[in-house]
Amino acid sequence: MSYLGNAPARSFISFERQVFTIVNSQTAYTLSHSVTNENDIRLVVNNVVQEPGSGKAYTATGTTLTLSAALTNGTDEMYCVFLGRATATNAPGAGSVGTAQLAADAVTNAKIADDAISDEQLDPTVITGQTAETSIATDDLILLSDTSASGALKKMTRANFVSGVGGVNSPRILTCMNNYHTLTSGSNTKVPFNRVDINTGGTWDSSNYRWTPGTAGTYVISFQVFADSGAADNLRIVEATIYISGTAAMTSFMDYRDSHARTATVSNSIITELTDSNYIELFANIYDTTGNPDLGGGSSGGERFKTYISSYKILT
């Protein structure tokens, strides 16, 4: 057949048909498509076209077809043709469907072949073209590749992403001497700390000068003792010992018996395991010729940390 212009995309047109199963004494039937009224369909009973309209052979609205009289199963046959639903009987010609014929968002994931999307189809500026974030909120989403799911892209909140990562070194303690304190020479004496600068997560016993972390783990324990004999050449020995639950854990000392001094500082650190109920204390033993050496301390400047003990739990 000759034609002017482009070849038509549809060569043959037919109308959709619905065949009904007759139910005795029934006048209402369900249409497979919604219609405005009975004029949208052509009803055929026993090969005779029926007249539509109220008071006629049938009416229709929505998906309900109503007959004026019931038919008999096994005797009568009925079907309808949807006049408003023309359907092409052949597929569109190859290459005849373009972008303009596709509705926005019409192509679903089910219609995209696996591995059909490559770098060529991706626009890298979707990410690279954005302004870099300088901070991230707790509920912001992070995109990551899940190696346990064949690299599938997953999203998670920043709060979940950092859960279990990083943290703070807690429990922790820093306690110092707020003033000089006189000891008895040669007497192993618990250091009577009277200023707590930091105490997070643990318990400081100010009566017994001891700290209990309350949480088991690996801890760093550091200490320093400043000894002052009060005069030149009076100092002989400075000894400091960390005790854990009443047992000596580490001792450090300076020996000046062959080269006398007035002041000296002893310090050290250990890494050790503590239970939640272990407690730590610091003892000092200072020998001098006066009989009454001092532990150094103060409330300001360099005096503040002359004598101290600190500890914190290591993140593992």
Side-chain angles (χ1 to χ4, degrees):
M1 182 180 70
S2 301
Y3 57 85
L4 296 176
N6 295 328
R10 294 175 176 172
S11 300
F12 305 99
I13 299 295
S14 66
F15 293 92
E16 188 170 342
R17 189 177 76 151
Q18 179 180 353
V19 177
F20 298 92
T21 299
I22 302 301
V23 179
N24 292 331
S25 303
Q26 179 175 304
T27 58
Y29 291 84
T30 300
L31 297 170
S32 57
H33 300 288
S34 180
V35 297
T36 302
N37 55 49
E38 58 273 8
N39 294 317
D40 286 345
I41 63 172
R42 182 175 72 240
L43 186 66
V44 180
V45 177
N46 298 328
N47 295 320
V48 177
V49 176
Q50 305 297 302
E51 184 178 4
S54 177
K56 308 296 183 181
Y58 68 96
T59 59
T61 181
T63 58
T64 301
L65 167 66
T66 305
L67 304 180
S68 60
L71 301 177
T72 302
N73 182 271
T75 300
D76 296 318
E77 296 179 345
M78 180 175 68
Y79 69 89
C80 77
V81 175
F82 292 91
L83 302 178
R85 296 186 64 84
T87 303
T89 59
N90 69 316
S96 65
V97 177
T99 302
Q101 283 74 45
L102 295 177
D105 300 322
V107 181
T108 64
N109 289 339
K111 300 301 181 180
I112 300 176
D114 292 341
D115 301 322
I117 304 299
S118 64
D119 292 346
E120 182 180 352
Q121 284 80 37
L122 298 178
D123 180 6
T125 62
V126 170
I127 295 176
T128 60
Q130 303 302 313
T131 301
E133 293 289 344
T134 57
S135 62
I136 181 171
T138 302
D139 59 349
D140 281 347
L141 294 177
I142 298 170
L143 192 65
L144 52 83
S145 176
D146 186 353
T147 56
S148 65
S150 302
L153 292 179
K154 301 290 183 68
K155 63 181 181 180
M156 66 190 308
T157 63
R158 177 260 188 191
N160 290 335
F161 185 75
V162 302
S163 178
V165 178
V168 295
N169 296 103
S170 184
R172 56 186 183 272
I173 181 74
L174 172 61
T175 181
C176 313
M177 292 296 299
N178 209 37
N179 50 263
Y180 272 62
H181 181 78
T182 301
L183 301 180
T184 299
S185 179
S187 175
N188 194 34
T189 305
K190 187 187 301 185
V191 178
F193 292 109
N194 54 10
R195 189 183 82 238
V196 178
D197 287 2
I198 299 172
N199 182 27
T200 303
T203 301
W204 172 251
D205 184 344
S206 59
S207 298
N208 294 299
Y209 313 117
R210 63 177 59 159
W211 183 67
T212 304
T215 301
T218 305
Y219 285 78
V220 175
I221 304 174
S222 302
F223 66 87
Q224 179 171 288
V225 167
F226 180 86
D228 190 342
S229 64
D233 298 333
N234 285 346
L235 190 62
R236 296 297 185 266
I237 295 176
V238 181
E239 184 179 72
T241 304
I242 285 288
Y243 282 76
I244 298 177
S245 295
T247 301
M250 182 180 68
T251 298
S252 297
F253 69 95
M254 299 290 289
D255 189 340
Y256 295 97
R257 285 175 293 183
D258 293 332
S259 178
H260 304 162
R262 171 175 175 167
T263 62
T265 298
V266 173
S267 61
N268 214 331
S269 298
I270 60 171
I271 298 176
T272 187
E273 297 292 325
L274 296 178
T275 67
D276 57 349
S277 59
N278 281 150
Y279 58 88
I280 59 176
E281 302 164 300
L282 180 62
F283 281 72
N285 194 354
I286 304 173
Y287 293 83
D288 77 344
T289 58
T290 67
N292 299 112
D294 288 324
L295 282 174
S299 59
S300 62
E303 301 286 317
R304 297 180 61 225
F305 303 110
K306 280 188 170 180
T307 300
Y308 69 85
I309 186 171
S310 69
S311 182
Y312 59 87
K313 182 176 179 294
I314 297 175
L315 297 175
T316 55

